[in-house]
Amino acid sequence: DAKTTQPPSMDCAEGRAANLPCNHSTISGNEYVYWYRQIHSQGPQYIIHGLKNNETNEMASLIITEDRKSSTLILPHATLRDTAVYYCIVRVVMNYGGSQGNLIFGKGTKLSVKP
Amino acid sequence: GAVVSQHPSRVICKSGTSVKIECRSLDFQATTMFWYRQFPKQSLMLMATSNEGSKATYEQGVEKDKFLINHASLTLSTLTVTSAHPEDSSFYICSARKGMDRWNTEAFFGQGTRLTVV
């Protein structure tokens, strides 16, 4: 799986949009971009994933550049409860019935939402 | 989303004893579960992949005789830390892949188990 690069930390004011960047310049055509977050002392929580089109759900938006070498996770109105470590992961599509699917976590971005 | 439950959430044990951690998928069948370990201020490290009805696949450097994994059903995988030592103290997290859908690539995580060996 391709490697990702994220800034180690970011601050965001409560109520403002949090834009978390991720570089994945070696991504291949069959790799998805996934975002997870981990609030302190909890298991990771799935946020969103995409292949090449921008995606939006109730939690966030994912913007993937046209060349797919980078992406941005957007939390439109950050709250204090969004303070967490955010992980950007690229992964191949799992084969049917295979045991692939484990996620390889980097160091992520520690997002601190401040009042 | 799908729910994965881990038990216990926190355990303290004496050095030399064994500890069993359970990982259950509550509302879906998980043919594959993954076990991770996370030391303080570090990222998650994959320990092993657990497949229902077959032997687990361990990552390099993880002792299979020390970390026993059993995936006896489609909703339950267990990790037993045998003869635990203080250096095994860590945050253990499981995740489960939902079903056999080729295009369903989300992984769902348990809440983690904080193991402290004294």
Side-chain angles (χ1 to χ4, degrees):
Chain A
D1 291 337
K3 188 176 178 180
T4 63
T5 305
Q6 298 177 252
S9 63
M10 290 182 64
D11 289 343
C12 177
E14 188 178 19
R16 304 296 294 270
N19 297 289
L20 293 95
C22 179
N23 287 322
H24 30 79
S25 58
T26 60
I27 193 170
S28 57
N30 62 348
E31 288 181 315
Y32 279 69
V33 179
Y34 281 77
W35 283 84
Y36 283 78
R37 72 179 183 183
Q38 186 178 25
I39 296 170
H40 184 63
S41 293
Q42 296 184 23
Q45 177 189 22
Y46 166 81
I47 301 173
I48 198 167
H49 74 282
L51 183 62
K52 53 183 178 181
N53 297 321
N54 296 338
E55 302 288 343
T56 296
N57 62 21
E58 64 278 5
M59 289 184 68
S61 295
L62 174 60
I63 308 298
I64 303 174
T65 58
E66 193 169 340
D67 63 7
R68 303 210 322 124
K69 293 186 177 185
S70 66
S71 62
T72 301
L73 179 75
I74 301 173
L75 307 178
H77 305 287
T79 70
L80 298 179
R81 287 179 294 182
D82 292 322
T83 293
V85 178
Y86 286 77
Y87 296 98
C88 168
I89 302 168
V90 292
R91 189 180 65 177
V92 297
V93 173
M94 290 183 289
N95 293 327
Y96 180 83
S99 62
Q100 297 174 19
N102 56 290
L103 295 167
I104 299 173
F105 288 81
K107 297 187 177 182
T109 296
K110 182 174 173 56
L111 175 69
S112 298
V113 181
K114 301 183 183 299
Chain B
V3 179
V4 175
S5 177
Q6 260 183 262
H7 178 80
S9 58
R10 190 178 292 267
V11 58
I12 300 172
C13 72
K14 291 184 177 181
S15 186
T17 62
S18 296
V19 173
K20 180 185 283 188
I21 302 169
E22 293 186 347
C23 179
R24 293 181 185 273
S25 55
L26 297 185
D27 53 358
F28 67 99
Q29 293 184 333
T31 53
T32 305
M33 291 185 175
F34 306 94
W35 288 95
Y36 293 82
R37 180 168 54 182
Q38 186 176 32
F39 291 108
K41 297 188 178 180
Q42 295 188 23
S43 191
L44 286 78
M45 295 297 294
L46 181 68
M47 298 175 66
T49 301
S50 167
N51 295 296
E52 186 267 335
S54 64
K55 291 184 178 180
T57 303
Y58 291 81
E59 295 299 300
Q60 191 172 9
V62 178
E63 299 175 58
K64 61 181 180 181
D65 294 331
K66 181 171 182 62
F67 299 99
L68 301 179
I69 291 172
N70 183 279
H71 193 160
S73 77
L74 287 172
T75 60
L76 174 65
S77 176
T78 60
L79 168 68
T80 302
V81 182
T82 63
S83 187
H85 289 95
E87 57 264 31
D88 298 323
S89 298
S90 188
F91 192 52
Y92 291 86
I93 307 167
C94 72
S95 76
R97 174 185 153 194
K98 190 175 180 180
M100 302 279 280
D101 185 350
R102 178 189 178 94
W103 305 111
N104 187 339
T105 56
E106 298 172 39
F108 300 93
F109 287 82
Q111 67 270 42
T113 298
R114 175 77 59 193
L115 171 63
T116 303
V117 185
V118 297

